[in-house]
Amino acid sequence: MSATRAVILAAAQNNWLKERASRYAFVRKSVSRFMPGEYLDDAVAAAGQLHSRGLGTVFTHLGENIADASEAEAVVEHYLQVLQRTRAESLSTEISIKPTQLGLDLSEALCERNLRRLLSAEDPTRTLWIDMESSPYVDATLRLYRNTLADYPNCGVCLQAYLHRTPHDVSALLPLKPRIRLVKGAYREAAEIALQRKPEVDARYFDLARQLLTSQMNGLVRRAILATHDPRLIGQITQFATQEGIRREQLEVQMLYGIQRAPQEQLASDGWRSSVLIAYGTHWYAWFMRRLAERPANLWLVVRNIARSKSSSRSTIELK
Ligand SMILES: Cc1cc2nc3c(=O)[nH]c(=O)nc-3n(C[C@H](O)[C@H](O)[C@H](O)COP(=O)(O)OP(=O)(O)OC[C@H]3O[C@@H](n4cnc5c(N)ncnc54)[C@H](O)[C@@H]3O)c2cc1C
């Protein structure tokens, strides 16, 4: 892991910085590059535009590591409202939740109850995704997934290619016919836990992507999503799919809102499934810092916005 990335990821966990960041217009302006706004209305408007261009969408309401059960309850209530709203708007949007947002730090049982409430309200033809957080949560998240998958086959989980354990986790999940969203991994992890070098992570990602796509073809995986912005990997994966005779509508690439917009649309117009995860909400600090860490060149965006905010007479900039 590069020193810059390590410093940004350490800053992502710093409460002092977190409390101050949102006060600055240049930070809020930089965040707006990666999210359409703080409110559900903003996400719904963005989803409508993306659907009209042939892209699928997934919503995630930002927030993690809530401190008491009433906060988890508010998160559940919010997502129930999202499910109603997207249905009313005829949007085929799915949702992706973080276990610590549903109370995993408080109790696994509480988190599972909350997840089940959402699953029972979700349309069974849509996948409800469970995000994967940092490595101490992986075992509990996979337990949660196994427990709920038995009753809700439309539940899906994210797996991180950089973890040494992930090839084993994939093999262990296959007999359950899982839905898996494969990512590289966004957290600061020690060398004993995760691969540190990009070429190694990329090679691991490609191996797992091939395994998931082949397993999807053989019916062992219900749905595989390749969530990456990496143009080289996406090229390798689409080439593999073509060689193996995988139909274009059977391969889905997912990216984050605001990143690689042109390639997102290109994939869709070439006939592959392409979808966008839209994050929104007021608790964006840690999430935004992880986006900076993924591409330290994004720091220039922040620097540019500092320069602009100094030359601007406006004291606040709306997050839109
Ligand atoms: C839909 C989706 C869901 C995710 N869910 C999770 C999750 O549950 N748990 C988890 O740990 N991680 C999650 N991630 C984040 C993921 O782990 C990676 O940190 C992130 O996707 C960056 O890795 P990459 O595959 O794009 O490749 P990288 O090698 O990081 O990037 C490849 C190229 O993509 C572009 N790019 C990548 N990131 C950015 C960025 N932030 N800003 C601008 N350009 C960028 C750059 O051109 C870069 O050169 C998710 C990512 C996506 C797309």
Side-chain angles (χ1 to χ4, degrees):
M1 184 187 294
S2 80
T4 317
R5 182 159 186 250
V7 169
I8 301 171
L9 286 177
Q13 290 163 326
N14 185 299
N15 281 331
W16 188 87
L17 284 173
K18 179 179 161 184
E19 275 159 27
R20 276 151 192 81
S22 61
R23 297 184 199 161
Y24 292 100
F26 70 86
V27 179
R28 294 169 67 81
K29 177 76 182 147
S30 307
V31 174
S32 70
R33 154 91 159 69
F34 302 107
M35 53 188 268
E38 292 187 343
Y39 301 101
L40 178 57
D41 281 346
D42 301 316
V44 165
Q49 285 173 12
L50 290 162
H51 287 189
S52 69
R53 299 207 289 274
L55 296 154
T57 52
V58 180
F59 284 176
T60 198
H61 188 227
L62 293 173
E64 47 204 87
N65 300 105
I66 53 98
D68 64 54
S70 64
E71 280 184 71
E73 178 61 31
V75 172
V76 173
E77 288 300 327
H78 178 81
Y79 276 119
L80 290 173
Q81 195 194 329
V82 173
L83 297 181
Q84 269 182 1
R85 176 76 188 275
T86 49
R87 216 165 283 159
E89 304 265 349
S90 306
L91 291 172
S92 57
T93 304
E94 298 183 330
I95 60 172
S96 195
I97 56 94
K98 284 201 182 341
T100 64
Q101 209 183 9
L102 295 186
L104 185 60
D105 287 326
L106 306 175
S107 119
E108 275 186 51
L110 171 76
C111 181
E112 186 173 326
R113 271 199 308 278
N114 284 335
L115 178 62
R116 284 176 179 275
R117 283 172 62 197
L118 294 177
L119 281 161
S120 66
E122 176 58 298
D123 176 343
T125 64
R126 300 205 182 136
T127 308
L128 190 156
W129 293 101
I130 306 176
D131 287 0
M132 190 57 81
E133 300 175 77
S134 57
S135 58
Y137 293 111
V138 176
D139 278 325
T141 302
L142 291 177
R143 269 196 299 277
L144 186 67
Y145 183 56
R146 285 167 176 276
N147 290 347
T148 47
L149 184 61
D151 297 322
Y152 297 98
N154 63 324
C155 192
V157 71
C158 176
L159 294 182
Q160 299 154 324
Y162 66 1
L163 295 184
H164 298 312
R165 60 179 288 168
T166 297
H168 170 76
D169 289 336
V170 169
S171 306
L173 283 175
L174 287 184
L176 306 177
K177 286 183 91 182
R179 292 169 192 255
I180 294 178
R181 177 176 82 210
L182 183 67
V183 300
K184 287 189 190 172
Y187 297 83
R188 186 162 61 129
E189 301 290 358
E192 307 85 76
I193 292 180
L195 300 169
Q196 304 289 312
R197 295 181 53 247
K198 178 171 159 58
E200 289 169 352
V201 178
D202 290 356
R204 167 73 69 68
Y205 190 102
F206 187 43
D207 283 350
L208 291 171
R210 279 185 298 198
Q211 185 185 4
L212 291 178
L213 288 174
T214 309
S215 303
Q216 184 179 247
M217 270 217 303
N218 299 337
L220 290 171
V221 162
R222 284 196 171 90
R223 188 169 168 203
I225 302 264
L226 290 322
T228 178
H229 313 96
D230 193 326
R232 203 177 60 89
L233 263 178
I234 293 170
Q236 288 177 322
I237 291 166
T238 51
Q239 192 184 357
F240 170 77
T242 307
Q243 278 163 6
E244 296 300 307
I246 295 172
R247 292 199 313 275
R248 291 193 174 207
E249 67 273 16
Q250 288 178 320
L251 189 153
E252 181 166 355
V253 176
Q254 205 165 86
M255 301 193 204
L256 300 177
Y257 179 88
I259 302 179
Q260 308 275 42
R261 289 181 189 193
Q264 286 170 5
E265 292 193 21
Q266 188 61 51
L267 281 165
S269 62
D270 289 347
W272 307 99
R273 288 185 72 184
S274 174
S275 52
V276 179
L277 187 144
I278 301 174
Y280 65 96
T282 49
H283 299 292
W284 42 258
Y285 174 76
W287 180 87
F288 171 62
M289 295 300 277
R290 290 198 289 274
R291 303 294 77 80
L292 289 186
E294 281 156 6
R295 191 163 180 259
N298 283 338
L299 285 171
W300 286 111
L301 176 74
V302 182
V303 172
R304 269 203 312 273
N305 286 327
I306 295 176
R308 281 183 195 148
S309 70
K310 283 201 168 143
S311 63
S312 158
S313 57
R314 290 195 346 206
S315 58
T316 57
I317 296 176
E318 284 307 307
L319 190 58
K320 278 295 284 174

